[in-house]
Amino acid sequence: MALHSLTLFGALLATLGCTKDAAEDSADTATGPEAVCTELAEVECVDELILGLGLQDTESDGEISTVTDGDDFVSTIDATAGGYEASSKNPWVYVRFTADGLEKVVIDDEEALESMEWHMALHRFKIRINSGSSGPSCVGAAPLLETAYADITEPGDPTYYYDEYMDGSCEVIYDSSGLPGSPQLAMGSWWSYESCVKTTGNPFIIQLEDGHVLKLVVEAYYESGQEACNESGTAGTNSAIFTMRWQMLE
């Protein structure tokens, strides 16, 4: 039995210089939150990142859809990447959170390393955020391990983490799940593995580059059968068809 451990490798938002202080002069606080960052940061170890994550120069054909459920958005994201056997040769799907719902960003993996347009990227069970090792923006994620999604009504003052999974020698830091090609991601605690990919129900506070903040929880990894996976370890059907519930908080 291999359980995915919660060891977060992150850095506070200030480490890349994408801070609210840096954006105060250009942000319009009268119309919304202050921007967290406005300029591209340099992504290090690009060649090693492309090889280590199997990044492609083609665009994903994965589709996304969003419906509303009360104050929440519920988004479905096709991150199948051609299926388990072919996933290493298929690109990530990139998305952006907006006040009107989730939008797909049509961009290839290599272009994404020089773009702030996307907020999150998905590929099979892996979820990257646009920051640190993953991208040039400053999207931060804060896991709230002892709080239910429904109980989160305001952002609070959490510690945000960037994706930081490339070490000083440009080697990928992998998590302890035992699954191949699984880097230690800031949002890694959404899942665990025991015969199938289980959802933990751990919610996240996500801070976007423009200062907007949302709450999010991954409700399902399988198109059907997630409950059976969580309860008995029986894999569901059609893996990597994510269901995410989220809501803008500010």
Side-chain angles (χ1 to χ4, degrees), residues 31 35 43 56 60 64 82 94 96 99 105 122 125 138-139 146 155 157 159 176-177 185 188 217 219 245 250:
T31 59
V43 178
Q56 306 295 314
S60 170
I64 70 171
Y94 294 85
R96 180 175 184 85
V105 179
L122 302 94
F125 58 90
C138 55
V139 177
E146 298 181 359
D157 188 25
T159 297
S176 60
S177 67
L185 298 165
V217 65
E219 292 190 328
R245 180 176 294 272
E250 69 174 27

Side-chain angles (χ1 to χ4, degrees), residues 1-241:
M1 177 178 67
L3 293 176
H4 176 59
S5 68
L6 177 67
T7 304
L8 291 173
F9 286 82
L12 295 176
L13 291 177
T15 60
L16 286 184
C18 294
T19 65
K20 291 185 177 180
D21 290 339
E24 283 179 352
D25 293 339
S26 60
D28 183 0
T29 58
T31 59
E34 297 177 354
V36 181
C37 63
T38 58
E39 298 182 358
L40 296 174
E42 181 180 359
V43 178
E44 299 181 353
C45 306
V46 169
D47 291 342
E48 292 83 1
L49 182 64
I50 291 172
L51 291 174
L53 270 63
L55 301 185
Q56 306 295 314
D57 59 0
T58 56
E59 299 165 355
S60 170
D61 59 5
E63 297 182 354
I64 70 171
S65 63
T66 299
V67 298
T68 56
D69 182 16
D71 293 330
D72 292 335
F73 290 110
V74 179
S75 298
T76 302
I77 306 164
D78 178 355
T80 52
Y84 177 77
E85 294 295 333
S87 61
S88 63
K89 297 181 180 180
N90 280 274
W92 297 62
V93 58
Y94 294 85
V95 298
R96 180 175 184 85
F97 297 96
T98 78
D100 298 318
L102 194 68
E103 297 179 352
K104 181 178 178 179
V105 179
V106 181
I107 193 170
D108 70 43
D109 292 337
E110 295 186 19
E111 292 171 340
L113 299 178
E114 297 182 351
S115 172
M116 296 177 68
E117 288 301 307
W118 62 279
H119 294 143
M120 182 179 290
L122 302 94
H123 186 269
R124 301 301 297 173
F125 58 90
K126 303 180 291 289
I127 300 176
R128 291 159 54 210
I129 52 176
N130 192 351
S131 59
S133 301
S134 285
S137 191
C138 55
V139 177
L144 302 182
L145 306 185
E146 298 181 359
T147 306
Y149 172 88
D151 294 335
I152 302 172
T153 58
E154 57 185 25
D157 188 25
T159 297
Y160 293 101
Y161 293 90
Y162 283 159
D163 273 344
E164 296 288 356
Y165 50 81
M166 302 297 288
D167 67 16
S169 300
C170 288
E171 297 288 336
V172 178
I173 302 170
Y174 293 104
D175 64 26
S176 60
S177 67
L179 297 181
S182 182
Q184 184 65 63
L185 298 165
M187 287 189 61
S189 65
W190 77 263
W191 67 286
S192 66
Y193 185 76
E194 185 181 352
S195 301
C196 62
V197 177
K198 299 184 176 185
T199 54
T200 62
N202 292 337
F204 295 84
I205 299 292
I206 309 293
Q207 185 176 59
L208 308 180
E209 88 293 342
D210 61 6
H212 283 93
V213 177
L214 59 101
K215 64 175 182 175
L216 177 147
V217 65
V218 177
E219 292 190 328
Y221 174 73
Y222 297 99
E223 189 171 26
S224 62
Q226 187 66 59
E227 184 175 352
C229 168
N230 290 349
E231 292 180 355
S232 65
T234 302
T237 57
N238 297 332
S239 59
I241 303 291

